[in-house]
Amino acid sequence: MKPLNKNVVFIGAGNMAEALVRGLLASRLCEPDSITVTDISEERLRRLRESFKVGTSRNNRDAVSGADLVLLAVKPQVLPGVCAELNGCVPARALVVSIAAGIATPSLEQWLGPDARVVRVMPNMPALVREGASAFCLGRQAGPEDARLVKSIFKSVGFVVRLDESQMDAVTALSGSGPAYVFMLMEAMRAAARDMGVDETVAQSLVNATISGAVRLQETSGLPPEELRRRVTSPGGTTAAALSVLERGKVMDTWVAAILAARNRASELSGPVAGQTGA
Ligand SMILES: NC(=O)c1ccc[n+]([C@@H]2O[C@H](COP(=O)([O-])OP(=O)(O)OC[C@H]3O[C@@H](n4cnc5c(N)ncnc54)[C@H](OP(=O)(O)O)[C@@H]3O)[C@@H](O)[C@H]2O)c1
């Protein structure tokens, strides 16, 4: 990938900031001396300094003064205060990217000032291993060049797609919360393995290989999941026995209802009005 040649400042040096720093460096988009991270915890900053040789600061206002790109990676509930602190300090050339769950771009613009160029991104947890899924939308002042920049940054930690803000709550429910749905399936498979006397470590390896193999098969075949499911299910066989229990339990309807509930909760939390927060 082509180097960004930009000074990137992370506000908040937690899990997601660390994942992104790792991705930016590993993909050679940035050199360590073009990245600065801030945090209220000196311990966190020391960790990132030692691991990645990036610059660190405990002063958000000073840190953003030389930034081309500001990445807001604090928890949603502290974001209004952080934006108020940065209002008037972010250079006019700088793009501000927020990864805070449930904070819509009108809120960011209101808190940072109406001229702020903002982008909202919804990443997910597997970004920690550079296998994330991210969606982003542009604020009113952001343009195609900003979209290209955000795409290349989040590509360094996995898959990325641009959508309208109106879809961000759905994305939060699908890919943002999505890893939890897969972990729950893993938990169920492990519980069954325990009941059947299969060694826990062996069971986890089988479960992992099964889930990642099913994903790869869907990707390479291009077939819809319902067709793949049909092909693996012989009439009267073992898979059919399992699926009939799942159908009796209305598991498919329950999954859909669960995802819609997550979308509805995201909508409640991310209303267009500043001051609302979510996670
Ligand atoms: N983790 C995920 O899977 C995930 C997925 C999608 C989106 N996100 C979003 O990503 C954002 C970051 O999440 P995370 O999991 O990386 O959170 P995190 O690990 O808690 O990191 C946030 C860091 O910011 C620090 N901080 C708090 N106030 C600050 C301030 N005023 N200035 C500078 N730093 C400050 C926190 O310190 P203290 O801990 O001492 O307060 C913490 O070290 C959140 O908005 C979240 O909604 C996360």
Side-chain angles (χ1 to χ4, degrees):
M1 280 195 236
K2 222 169 111 233
L4 299 181
N5 293 320
K6 296 203 182 289
N7 286 327
V8 181
V9 177
F10 286 86
I11 305 294
N15 292 315
M16 289 308 285
E18 183 168 338
L20 285 161
V21 167
R22 187 179 296 112
L24 288 172
L25 295 176
S27 58
R28 310 302 304 266
L29 282 172
C30 291
E31 294 300 320
D33 61 5
S34 65
I35 297 178
T36 303
V37 293
T38 79
D39 204 283
I40 48 179
S41 154
E42 180 50 37
E43 176 51 31
R44 286 288 309 158
L45 294 178
R46 191 182 54 76
R47 216 177 94 95
L48 267 85
R49 233 176 7 244
E50 286 174 2
S51 304
F52 302 110
K53 318 282 177 242
V54 294
T56 61
S57 168
R58 293 180 69 179
N59 186 320
N60 292 337
R61 291 166 70 95
D62 280 356
V64 299
S65 64
D68 301 305
L69 180 81
V70 178
L71 240 142
L72 301 173
V74 292
K75 290 278 189 228
Q77 51 276 25
V78 300
L79 193 57
V82 165
C83 289
E85 186 189 358
L86 297 182
N87 190 329
C89 300
V90 178
R93 65 172 186 278
L95 176 68
V96 180
V97 176
S98 163
I99 60 166
I103 305 283
T105 60
S107 294
L108 295 166
E109 286 159 354
Q110 184 172 327
W111 298 332
L112 287 162
D115 295 332
R117 267 169 41 244
V118 305
V119 174
R120 171 187 177 189
V121 185
M122 185 64 207
N124 73 1
M125 200 184 183
L128 299 175
V129 290
R130 304 186 65 202
E131 296 270 357
S134 306
F136 70 97
C137 66
L138 303 185
R140 276 178 312 166
Q141 312 289 343
E145 194 52 41
D146 299 319
R148 268 193 291 279
L149 177 61
V150 169
K151 228 176 203 170
S152 54
I153 291 169
F154 284 85
K155 224 171 142 183
S156 76
V157 289
F159 170 81
V160 56
V161 63
R162 177 180 166 187
L163 294 171
D164 283 338
E165 181 120 38
S166 61
Q167 303 246 282
M168 293 299 279
D169 294 335
V171 164
T172 303
L174 276 178
S175 52
S177 302
Y181 315 149
V182 179
F183 295 138
M184 193 174 213
L185 173 62
M186 276 186 185
E187 283 175 64
M189 291 172 84
R190 279 172 56 116
R194 214 166 23 246
D195 286 355
M196 296 184 293
V198 180
D199 172 79
E200 202 175 317
T201 313
V202 171
Q204 187 67 62
S205 301
L206 289 170
V207 168
N208 288 356
T210 302
I211 292 174
S212 57
V215 170
R216 287 289 295 144
L217 180 60
Q218 196 287 321
E219 282 174 351
T220 45
S221 69
L223 293 169
E226 51 272 32
E227 173 58 19
L228 291 166
R229 176 158 65 86
R230 199 185 58 71
R231 290 187 186 189
V232 89
T233 312
S234 317
T238 56
T239 311
L243 293 180
S244 76
V245 173
L246 294 173
E247 276 158 18
R248 271 205 310 279
K250 299 194 185 315
V251 168
M252 185 81 87
D253 293 345
T254 306
W255 279 122
V256 172
I259 296 167
L260 293 180
R263 192 276 316 271
N264 294 344
R265 182 65 183 139
S267 303
E268 281 169 20
L269 294 169
S270 71
V273 185
Q276 300 188 4
T277 59

